[in-house]
Amino acid sequence: MFNDIYSSILRELVDFHPYLAASEYYDAKGSNEKIIGAVYKVNPTSSLGLKFGLELTASKLCDLSRLMVTAKDVSNCLQLIPQVAHIQKAPFYPFVTQQEGIVSISVTFPYDKTLSQQHRRFYVESLFVYIKHFCQDFFEQPYTPSSINLDYDAPPYAQEYHQAFDCHVSFNCPLSVMRFKVNNPHNPLITSHTLLHNIYLKRAMETAQKDNGVEHTKFQITNTLMQHHPQSLNSQSHADQFDISVRALQKRLHKTGTSYSDLLALARMELTKIYLYQYRAGVKYSAQQLGFKTVTGFKQFFKSAFGMPLDEAQINHGPLIWE
């Protein structure tokens, strides 16, 4: 997930709080993911994500904060959240929707189905805390969450969620979603500045494009699947994106231990949660957005991916996890 800024904030936080035994900390020092994992190894119920989110202040995030606050209006600012996550190569994909005065932001994990539940909790906590405080600090009309749904069990420190978000929080939901009531999403930001915004955006994109390895190919394909479906749900469109043949694309993905069909299946799983639970869309529309020609094909995929029939899942509304 992290560039040097995030890494520095994480390491300062872990250094300051006695989360780790010294030997485990130094063993993990070379990797942010390992540091997070080591924290949860020592204390599985750590609230590290909530604390990390509070550290993601505008002054520390520098250009990324400037990119956000110079956007045209509230709507454009919030729509930047997935793009910022992509620039940072985050292991999650935030999906933003705007429907009838409600803005919802979900956290999906289409890049790696082996990511631990504790890591997922860390990213959800830190992102939601950051977004909540960003909206309060920079929007002329402060927006506070109206509800939060989380796709994991309530941790022992669940009372801290109510203190952090001051809204109704539900656990064991199909998807982690934060919802805001927004009266005027096109309300201009006082800090809006088109010229500066374009400069910060160009700088951020140039940084993101420096990595062109095989892992970048895998990451870029998944990001495109999440962002440009259903038109992107075929291997030829991605081969064209990298100016190579489909066969060459498959060989490149094989080097990462995966295939295009694997990436497509995992992206479809996360998009299924988005359309059925975040959008609250119908089955037919969801099937179309996921590139299925028939509802039957979509239902077969759902049962294979989640281990239960779609009708049963809609009744239970519990967490949807990859089988």
Side-chain angles (χ1 to χ4, degrees):
M1 168 190 181
F2 306 111
N3 64 8
D4 292 340
I5 296 174
Y6 289 96
S7 299
S8 176
I9 296 172
L10 177 64
R11 291 167 191 277
E12 287 178 6
L13 183 62
V14 173
D15 279 335
F16 182 75
H17 295 279
Y19 288 113
L20 304 176
S23 61
E24 290 172 326
Y25 174 70
Y26 284 109
D27 287 344
K29 262 201 166 182
S31 165
N32 295 298
E33 294 292 328
K34 289 181 180 179
I35 290 176
I36 296 169
V39 169
Y40 290 118
K41 183 178 179 181
V42 173
N43 181 9
T45 60
S46 168
S47 59
L48 179 65
L50 295 178
K51 293 179 173 64
F52 183 70
L54 289 172
E55 295 296 322
L56 301 180
T57 60
S59 60
K60 291 181 180 178
L61 297 187
C62 303
D63 281 3
L64 286 178
S65 291
R66 297 183 185 114
L67 172 64
M68 298 279 287
V69 301
T70 54
K72 178 182 177 182
D73 53 32
V74 171
S75 176
N76 287 338
C77 179
L78 294 176
Q79 290 294 342
L80 278 170
I81 293 173
Q83 192 168 4
V84 170
H86 173 231
I87 290 168
Q88 295 301 309
K89 294 182 171 58
F92 57 85
Y93 185 93
F95 202 96
V96 181
T97 67
Q98 300 183 43
Q99 298 170 287
E100 299 178 355
I102 300 293
V103 171
S104 64
I105 304 168
S106 66
V107 185
T108 67
F109 296 91
Y111 302 107
D112 183 5
K113 65 181 180 181
T114 65
L115 198 66
S116 75
Q117 192 67 28
Q118 291 163 335
H119 277 82
R120 290 174 180 234
R121 191 177 81 220
F122 171 86
Y123 292 122
V124 170
E125 289 176 346
S126 57
L127 180 65
F128 282 178
V129 168
Y130 167 72
I131 291 172
K132 188 242 184 182
H133 285 277
F134 181 91
C135 291
Q136 288 181 335
D137 292 343
F138 290 102
F139 293 168
E140 185 176 5
Q141 176 188 341
Y143 296 112
T144 57
S146 56
S147 66
I148 291 179
N149 302 97
L150 301 166
D151 67 347
Y152 48 82
D153 293 335
Y157 55 90
Q159 72 280 357
E160 293 186 34
Y161 282 82
H162 300 284
Q163 297 168 4
F165 300 111
D166 192 27
C167 68
H168 179 71
V169 179
S170 300
F171 296 91
N172 287 316
C173 301
L175 182 67
S176 292
V177 186
M178 171 186 277
R179 291 185 170 88
F180 294 84
K181 291 181 180 178
V182 179
N183 295 326
N184 186 6
H186 299 295
N187 190 31
L189 297 181
I190 297 177
T191 51
S192 176
H193 195 297
T194 303
L195 178 59
L196 288 178
H197 180 75
N198 290 336
I199 291 173
Y200 294 132
L201 181 60
K202 181 181 179 182
R203 188 182 299 171
M205 294 305 297
E206 287 174 349
T207 300
Q209 292 169 359
K210 287 181 180 178
D211 182 4
N212 293 312
V214 291
E215 286 294 335
H216 173 74
T217 301
K218 175 182 171 182
F219 181 86
Q220 191 65 34
I221 288 174
T222 297
N223 189 75
T224 302
L225 288 169
M226 296 297 293
Q227 192 173 6
H228 299 297
H229 56 276
Q231 62 269 29
S232 65
L233 301 176
N234 64 86
S235 57
Q236 184 62 60
S237 67
H238 297 282
D240 293 343
Q241 181 182 1
F242 293 101
D243 196 24
I244 57 177
S245 67
V246 171
R247 185 176 180 181
L249 179 67
Q250 293 285 18
K251 286 183 177 181
R252 187 179 294 186
L253 290 175
H254 182 72
K255 293 179 181 178
T256 69
T258 189
S259 66
Y260 178 76
S261 60
D262 289 339
L263 299 183
L264 177 60
L266 190 51
R268 275 177 163 168
M269 184 201 73
E270 298 298 274
L271 289 169
T272 295
K273 301 176 192 178
I274 288 169
Y275 281 100
L276 293 180
Y277 188 69
Q278 184 176 0
Y279 268 115
R280 297 188 174 98
V283 174
K284 183 177 180 180
Y285 179 78
S286 300
Q288 291 172 344
Q289 291 302 301
L290 270 67
F292 291 98
K293 295 181 179 180
T294 65
V295 170
T296 300
F298 174 53
K299 288 185 174 182
Q300 289 173 343
F301 166 79
F302 188 98
K303 185 174 182 180
S304 174
F306 298 110
M308 68 179 79
L310 175 58
D311 295 341
E312 180 181 332
Q314 288 177 309
I315 294 172
N316 292 339
H317 265 268
L320 297 176
I321 59 174
W322 185 270
E323 290 291 323

